[in-house]
Amino acid sequence: MSDETKPIKPVSRRSFIQTAAMTAAALTLPGCSRKQKPELTTLTGDFDPLRSYPYRGWEDFYRKIWTWDKVVRSTHSANCTGSCSWKVYVRNGVMVREEQAADYPRINEDLPDYNPRGCQKGGCFTEYVYSPQRLRYPLIRTGERGEGKWRRATWDEALTLISEKLLDNIYNYGPDTNSYFSVIPAMSPVSFCAGSRFAHYTGGVFLSFYDWYCDLPPGEPLTWGVQTEACECADWFNAKYIILWGSNISQTRIPDAHFAYEARYNGAKIVCISPDYNSSSIHADLYFRINPGTDGILALGVAKLLIDDNLIDVPYVKEQTDMPLLVFTGTKRFLRESDVKAGGKQDVFYFWDSKQQHAVAAPGSMGSDQKHIKLEGVDPALTGVFQVQLADGKTAEVTTVFELLKKELADYPLDKVAAQTGLPAHEIQSFAHDLGTRKPAMIIHGAGTNHWFHNDLTNRAFILLVALTGNVGKNGGGFNHYVGQERIWPEQGFFKLAFPETRKKQRFQNTTLWSYVHSTNHDPHLYGGKPIDWYIQESVKNGWMPLWPKDGRKPRAFIVWRANYLNQAKGNEILESSLWKDLDLIVDINYRMDTTALYSDVVLPAASYYEKVDINSTDCHSYIHPFGKACEPLFESKTDWDIFHALAEKMSQVATAKGLKPYHDAAFDWNRDFTQLAQDWTGKGAIKTDEEAVNFILANADETKGMDYKLIQEQPQRFKATDPESWNSPIEPGVAYTPFKFQVVDKKPWRTLVGRQQFYIDHPWYIDLGETLPVYKEPVPEKYPLYWNTPHGRWSIHSTWRDHRAMLRLQRGGPIVYMHPDDARKRGLQDNDWVRIHNEVGACVCRLQILPGEKAGRVTMYHGWEKFLGFQQGGWQSLTYIKINPTQLIGKYGHVNFRLNYWGPTGNNRDIKVDVEKAKV
Ligand code: SF4
């Protein structure tokens, strides 16, 4: 019998302790030097751990945890902006764990790489997939909405019900009564396109998301004529000055925060501007504990210091911005060619040439014949007041935008800025000096400042800082906004799949406006002496913003997938009691039971991130990588692609059975033959599977030419090129992507009316409301004492993972509101008290956490908590309502036109105030 198989006498606990003590004593005997090996006699015989030992079974069990049958590359799509590639390990058909893939190719040897990227939420998704909130079967509501009473249905029954209702709406009330909501195509475009194609071929209204979530920085479309442009995060390392402005990257950009912190080894200084002392503040060289809602005045005060101290980049400002353009001192309108020449153009503008001493047409504007912005043989004046001769022979006084800006900035002297922001004047001065002298400098911008009502003004003021200092369009510089995973890199391929008959044949709708108009939301404030309803009516009447359904009809059906509309909606209790009641069909397609699913009529179970084929991209890096099917969709779930395919087939069958004639959709002169819907939806059978859809996108975009699904399943691939129609910089080998090199290096016009970075907007509403230039406007007044702050959190991505067991264990296990000790003391509140947070809109009841890092005068609840996750009353959106900024309703102004997710009112939620009291529970 070998030693390994010899039976061993059991060791009693007592003899084990004695043996262990003797061993320890032997090992510490004096004279036991390294040379004199102690004799380990006590560890031989029955107790020798190297020989056989009873109870070895558990070791095998432990080792087996780490074995697998196959590994599949996948990722997550919760709008985290991370876009991290993961390996999913599968054993016996069960997804057992995930691991960061860590094989993004390096950009160059000098830049830190993207490996490994991930966060704690992604690291526990396999557990989420099998958790109780997972949807398994189609469900049809049997109780009241939100009551949680359901019956299991077959796919056939559920799809038949939906098809009949949608067709009924189309033929009886119009196709625009069917509304579709899904978000962020970049995070899983095939899933997105599955439903957008369906909306497209059935004439439904497709709702926006990026503006509604207030992730859109409206200052970018206004100033640059783009939706959002930001450098990829590796470019943070190239900066010498990084301003974290309202962006808590340690919590919300977990895979990328290291680039900023490592930049300090590369000579960068970091400034963190945030009312709370948070986990990013601790990495900063300078921390500004700013008063909430005063970021705009700080930016304008710093702009004044930059100009006063001659810290601006004059040649850059003359060539790249509208600062030299001429404006009538009287009407405040730009001087246009139509003013100085009979029959002249409305979209050609002038500067004053200091060499020739007369007004000269600026190159590169929308109406200019010169398709560049080079200054050849001229020297535009930045300051001065001039007389120009008009077409009618009269003369008029004009001045430059820069002159007007200087006048405007005179309102922001240092002492006023210091008093309003609560910051020391000398530190504001040193901030301005560093910004003007450390090149390149960048602002990393987040929701902390973007979620305010005057976000457009604040954005414009921030962009002004980096434009005056010549930092835009340069590696390591610029205004880089990261809120939401908005960048769909292979855009051309995506649009062809999403809206096949061109985007012009699709009913698009800004969701902020849709949700406001079709509910009882009411904003009591006046803007320029008028209620917001006046601006809305004007905007719709002028054709600036679309409003579907037309002619006062109400939406009747609402299909939601890849989103949690109701939970995330500003004023969701107002919507629940109005819009929701008018909808007679709400369908939610989801892999988990979230708030929107709970308040729906039909729930269809979708495949999770690890059970489908798709692609994923982000503005945080320049790579594409896939979702993979680690296993077939669990239970009776299907991929989004297969769900809408099945729905299209069912609708064709129902239309055939009912003998429906084609519906003439007059808006597009489109005869919609629903008996052929499945044929249309699959592109006449060309794109039946999700892998075919992925390959369609990849093949139809410059960025991904030559790639296919198999290649990206092997390894993430860096984009090959950028489509010049959509992008503003090339992809350069060995160089991190940063936008606006086409303009700054190649001197192509900016995508604005004036062809330059446009800080001056001479639209009549901007003139009337005093917003032609970036100005500071205080937060919208509310009568309660504490700002209500609902930022992105560390332990969830919006509402996803909010209900994950592991994530809940990292916090207090339920909704918490954070309050400064002084505010708690004033109210006699103790840590962990149940508190009632309330204002005129509503109330919610949850636990209190007293947090010295919070700013006095503000309370914070990290957003996304589902309504059913532990509130005694209400939820985090019970206190908010929809407020529309009138300046965001304009259109038909050069580059400022409604475009889905590019331009339209944002659903801001920071100008809300509340009070807090002890709750009676
Ligand atoms: S959730 Fe987002 S950030 Fe986290 S690992 Fe997944 S992709 Fe990355």
Side-chain angles (χ1 to χ4, degrees):
M1 192 181 276
S2 75
D3 276 359
E4 292 208 336
T5 53
K6 219 171 7 180
I8 295 171
K9 274 189 283 176
V11 180
S12 71
R13 184 170 176 273
R14 185 178 170 78
S15 68
F16 171 81
I17 293 168
Q18 279 173 347
T19 311
M22 286 161 63
T23 309
L27 288 172
T28 54
L29 282 176
C32 280
S33 70
R34 281 181 179 211
K35 283 183 187 161
Q36 295 170 296
K37 274 192 175 171
E39 277 191 34
L40 297 175
T41 49
T42 52
L43 288 182
T44 58
D46 290 349
F47 194 62
D48 182 352
L50 302 177
R51 297 172 63 232
S52 65
Y53 182 72
Y55 320 124
R56 297 277 319 223
W58 68 270
E59 292 178 10
D60 254 9
F61 177 76
Y62 178 78
R63 284 190 195 103
K64 277 181 185 157
I65 290 175
W66 308 105
T67 62
W68 62 87
D69 306 329
K70 66 171 176 175
V71 182
V72 174
R73 185 186 295 274
S74 200
T75 182
H76 315 111
S77 55
N79 191 16
C80 56
T81 319
S83 189
C84 313
S85 195
W86 287 76
K87 293 191 264 184
V88 183
Y89 291 79
V90 182
R91 193 174 66 248
N92 294 336
V94 177
M95 297 171 274
V96 287
R97 68 187 165 94
E98 53 272 278
E99 181 181 87
Q100 290 149 292
D103 56 355
Y104 288 88
R106 288 195 83 143
I107 294 179
N108 71 45
E109 287 303 310
D110 297 329
L111 282 179
D113 63 359
Y114 283 100
N115 299 309
R117 52 191 294 111
C119 76
Q120 82 281 43
K121 281 84 69 185
C124 62
F125 190 69
T126 40
E127 192 184 318
Y128 208 39
V129 166
Y130 296 107
S131 57
Q133 58 271 53
R134 179 68 197 253
L135 287 163
R136 301 166 179 218
Y137 318 106
L139 298 171
I140 293 178
R141 177 171 64 86
T142 55
E144 293 299 308
R145 282 182 185 151
E147 206 183 354
K149 291 188 178 163
W150 304 93
R151 70 177 170 83
R152 183 172 166 178
T154 62
W155 274 99
D156 190 63
E157 182 190 10
L159 295 178
T160 305
L161 185 157
I162 298 166
S163 300
E164 287 183 342
K165 181 67 194 157
L166 295 178
L167 284 169
D168 184 50
N169 284 347
I170 292 168
Y171 281 85
N172 292 311
Y173 307 104
D176 53 355
T177 58
N178 293 332
S179 319
Y180 295 81
F181 184 73
S182 188
V183 300
I184 319 291
M187 65 185 192
S188 46
V190 170
S191 280
F192 180 96
C193 290
S196 66
R197 281 172 84 82
F198 187 86
H200 185 66
Y201 283 117
T202 56
V205 174
F206 201 84
L207 294 160
S208 68
F209 43 87
Y210 189 49
D211 40 18
W212 166 235
Y213 285 159
C214 211
D215 293 350
L216 172 76
E220 291 205 28
L222 285 169
T223 313
W224 290 334
V226 300
Q227 180 200 35
T228 299
E229 277 281 12
C231 64
E232 64 175 303
C233 297
D235 199 39
W236 298 356
F237 186 77
N238 291 320
K240 291 289 180 276
Y241 200 56
I242 296 176
I243 305 161
L244 302 177
W245 212 327
S247 182
N248 185 356
I249 56 173
S250 293
Q251 293 206 20
T252 61
R253 294 291 165 270
I254 290 173
D256 294 302
H258 71 96
F259 288 112
Y261 304 146
E262 284 158 357
R264 297 172 75 194
Y265 294 109
N266 199 31
K269 260 176 132 175
I270 296 184
V271 184
C272 178
I273 306 176
S274 172
D276 54 324
Y277 188 66
N278 59 43
S279 44
S280 300
S281 318
I282 59 174
H283 296 281
D285 299 279
L286 175 64
Y287 168 55
F288 276 169
R289 193 182 180 94
I290 193 167
N291 288 333
T294 64
D295 305 87
I297 195 169
L298 174 63
L300 294 168
V302 170
K304 175 170 164 44
L305 291 172
L306 290 170
I307 294 172
D308 291 350
D309 296 346
N310 293 321
L311 292 173
I312 69 169
D313 184 339
V314 171
Y316 180 99
V317 168
K318 286 184 175 181
E319 180 189 80
Q320 297 288 331
T321 76
D322 62 352
M323 291 297 147
L325 296 187
L326 297 174
V327 176
F328 288 108
T329 53
T331 62
K332 297 197 165 59
R333 299 270 291 161
F334 277 121
L335 176 69
R336 291 165 157 81
E337 191 186 62
S338 51
D339 297 312
V340 293
K341 277 188 202 165
K345 293 178 180 170
Q346 286 276 337
D347 46 9
V348 170
F349 304 87
Y350 289 81
F351 52 67
W352 189 264
D353 180 18
S354 309
K355 289 185 178 166
Q356 304 170 60
Q357 285 298 311
H358 66 75
V360 170
S365 71
M366 277 190 170
S368 174
D369 297 331
Q370 294 168 286
K371 300 301 172 205
H372 65 80
I373 51 172
K374 267 182 275 183
L375 296 174
E376 290 165 325
V378 289
D379 181 21
L382 276 182
T383 55
V385 176
F386 313 99
Q387 298 294 321
V388 288
Q389 177 127 30
L390 303 181
D392 60 7
K394 294 183 185 150
T395 56
E397 187 181 79
V398 291
T399 189
T400 63
V401 171
F402 189 69
E403 194 75 71
L404 293 172
L405 177 72
K406 284 204 317 179
K407 210 165 141 199
E408 162 68 36
L409 294 179
D411 281 349
Y412 308 109
L414 186 55
D415 54 344
K416 180 175 166 186
V417 173
Q420 202 136 352
T421 55
L423 302 173
H426 70 278
E427 287 190 356
I428 298 175
Q429 258 174 325
S430 91
F431 172 45
H433 182 264
D434 278 352
L435 176 58
T437 52
R438 297 181 72 90
K439 304 276 173 84
M442 70 162 67
I443 296 171
I444 294 177
H445 185 243
T449 44
N450 205 59
H451 280 189
W452 291 82
F453 183 81
H454 290 298
N455 51 7
D456 47 357
L457 288 171
T458 314
N459 293 166
R460 290 164 72 197
F462 289 1
I463 298 172
L464 181 67
L465 293 180
V466 279
L468 287 175
T469 49
N471 277 301
V472 181
K474 296 178 183 170
N475 278 103
F479 170 81
N480 298 298
H481 171 85
Y482 307 94
V483 191
Q485 196 168 331
E486 96 293 340
R487 175 168 292 173
I488 170 81
W489 280 81
E491 198 180 74
Q492 302 146 301
F494 157 71
F495 275 120
K496 277 187 195 156
L497 186 68
F499 305 106
E501 309 287 328
T502 88
R503 281 175 267 173
K504 290 188 183 139
K505 289 195 162 189
Q506 179 59 48
R507 293 181 169 92
F508 287 126
Q509 175 64 52
N510 167 272
T511 300
T512 317
L513 190 57
W514 183 85
S515 304
Y516 183 90
V517 170
H518 297 305
S519 71
T520 52
N521 253 287
H522 173 65
D523 178 359
H525 303 95
L526 297 179
Y527 304 103
K530 299 187 185 94
I532 193 60
D533 291 16
W534 180 87
Y535 291 97
I536 292 173
Q537 280 163 17
E538 285 295 301
S539 174
V540 173
K541 192 176 77 191
N542 295 335
W544 297 345
M545 287 292 147
L547 182 59
W548 302 99
K550 286 191 182 298
D551 313 320
R553 284 170 298 130
K554 289 278 183 191
R556 305 183 73 92
F558 191 34
I559 317 277
V560 181
W561 72 110
R562 301 163 68 257
N564 192 355
Y565 172 86
L566 190 61
N567 196 61
Q568 304 300 108
K570 269 58 74 173
N572 63 8
E573 294 195 352
I574 301 167
L575 294 169
E576 197 192 315
S577 63
S578 49
L579 167 72
W580 229 242
K581 293 220 168 357
D582 289 329
L583 293 166
D584 39 36
L585 176 70
I586 302 167
V587 178
D588 191 74
I589 300 170
N590 212 323
Y591 68 85
R592 67 186 182 96
M593 182 61 88
D594 64 13
T595 298
T596 309
L598 186 63
Y599 284 77
S600 299
D601 304 318
V602 182
V603 173
L604 301 178
S608 83
Y609 311 148
Y610 294 169
E611 301 153 35
K612 64 180 184 179
V613 167
D614 209 325
I615 46 179
N616 190 285
S617 67
T618 174
D619 42 4
C620 284
H621 64 61
S622 50
Y623 301 84
I624 190 151
H625 59 97
F627 290 81
K629 260 189 192 168
C631 68
E632 288 303 312
L634 294 184
F635 311 106
E636 286 192 13
S637 66
K638 294 176 190 285
T639 66
D640 295 306
W641 190 259
D642 287 345
I643 290 173
F644 280 101
H645 187 185
L647 184 60
E649 281 186 336
K650 179 53 69 185
M651 207 176 204
S652 297
Q653 287 167 17
V654 172
T656 306
K658 285 180 184 284
L660 292 177
K661 297 265 173 294
Y663 175 87
H664 181 68
D665 191 342
F668 306 119
D669 192 18
W670 187 341
N671 275 327
R672 297 182 187 274
D673 182 354
F674 294 107
T675 65
Q676 296 303 305
L677 181 63
Q679 272 293 305
D680 291 340
W681 188 90
T682 57
K684 308 265 177 284
I687 320 171
K688 279 197 182 137
T689 67
D690 33 21
E691 188 168 332
E692 285 166 353
V694 165
N695 286 332
F696 178 91
I697 294 176
L698 298 179
N700 280 282
D702 292 352
E703 290 76 7
T704 49
K705 274 267 155 37
M707 297 182 198
D708 65 8
Y709 180 70
K710 287 199 173 50
L711 181 75
I712 58 175
Q713 182 58 234
E714 275 166 29
Q715 190 180 12
Q717 301 289 316
R718 193 160 194 237
F719 293 106
K720 303 244 177 274
T722 50
D723 161 26
E725 290 303 308
S726 313
W727 301 100
N728 294 288
S729 278
I731 280 278
E732 300 164 279
V735 181
Y737 178 86
T738 197
F740 304 125
K741 289 189 179 173
F742 289 160
Q743 292 82 358
V744 173
V745 178
D746 302 341
K747 314 295 181 200
K748 289 186 182 161
W750 292 76
R751 299 168 194 269
T752 61
L753 176 62
V754 300
R756 294 153 165 264
Q757 299 181 61
Q758 187 169 342
F759 294 97
Y760 194 84
I761 306 289
D762 70 342
H763 186 281
W765 285 14
Y766 279 62
I767 295 172
D768 291 349
L769 292 166
E771 298 186 17
T772 48
L773 281 166
V775 294
Y776 176 63
K777 289 195 170 177
E778 293 193 2
V780 176
E782 301 281 343
K783 65 180 181 190
Y784 289 81
L786 302 166
Y787 278 112
W788 178 234
N789 183 44
T790 53
H792 298 133
R794 168 181 280 174
W795 299 297
S796 76
I797 302 294
H798 315 295
S799 57
T800 309
W801 286 281
R802 259 286 169 234
D803 47 355
H804 192 294
R805 189 185 58 90
M807 293 302 106
L808 288 167
R809 289 183 64 177
L810 296 175
Q811 38 194 318
R812 292 194 180 181
I816 315 164
V817 62
Y818 298 91
M819 179 182 264
H820 188 270
D822 291 349
D823 287 328
R825 216 171 292 121
K826 269 189 229 161
R827 291 166 176 77
L829 299 171
Q830 304 288 325
D831 191 70
N832 215 35
D833 273 351
W834 283 102
V835 291
R836 180 172 174 270
I837 310 157
H838 60 99
N839 62 11
E840 67 271 73
V841 183
C844 81
V845 173
C846 64
R847 296 271 195 187
L848 174 75
Q849 181 168 341
I850 296 175
L851 186 70
E854 180 54 282
K855 177 95 176 163
R858 191 182 85 163
V859 286
T860 291
M861 179 181 291
Y862 287 104
H863 90 162
W865 291 102
E866 303 282 2
K867 288 188 84 170
F868 50 79
L869 271 182
F871 291 101
Q872 296 281 339
Q873 182 193 335
W876 59 285
Q877 292 283 28
S878 304
L879 304 147
T880 59
Y881 62 103
I882 302 171
K883 291 188 297 301
I884 291 180
N885 190 327
T887 55
Q888 295 176 19
L889 285 165
I890 71 156
K892 297 187 179 171
Y893 172 84
H895 59 292
V896 188
N897 293 294
F898 167 73
R899 192 171 159 200
L900 194 81
N901 300 314
Y902 273 65
W903 180 250
T906 53
N908 56 83
N909 56 1
R910 285 286 198 276
D911 306 47
I912 293 285
K913 287 185 134 185
V914 297
D915 206 348
V916 179
E917 62 190 10
K918 199 166 167 106
K920 299 179 191 88
V921 290

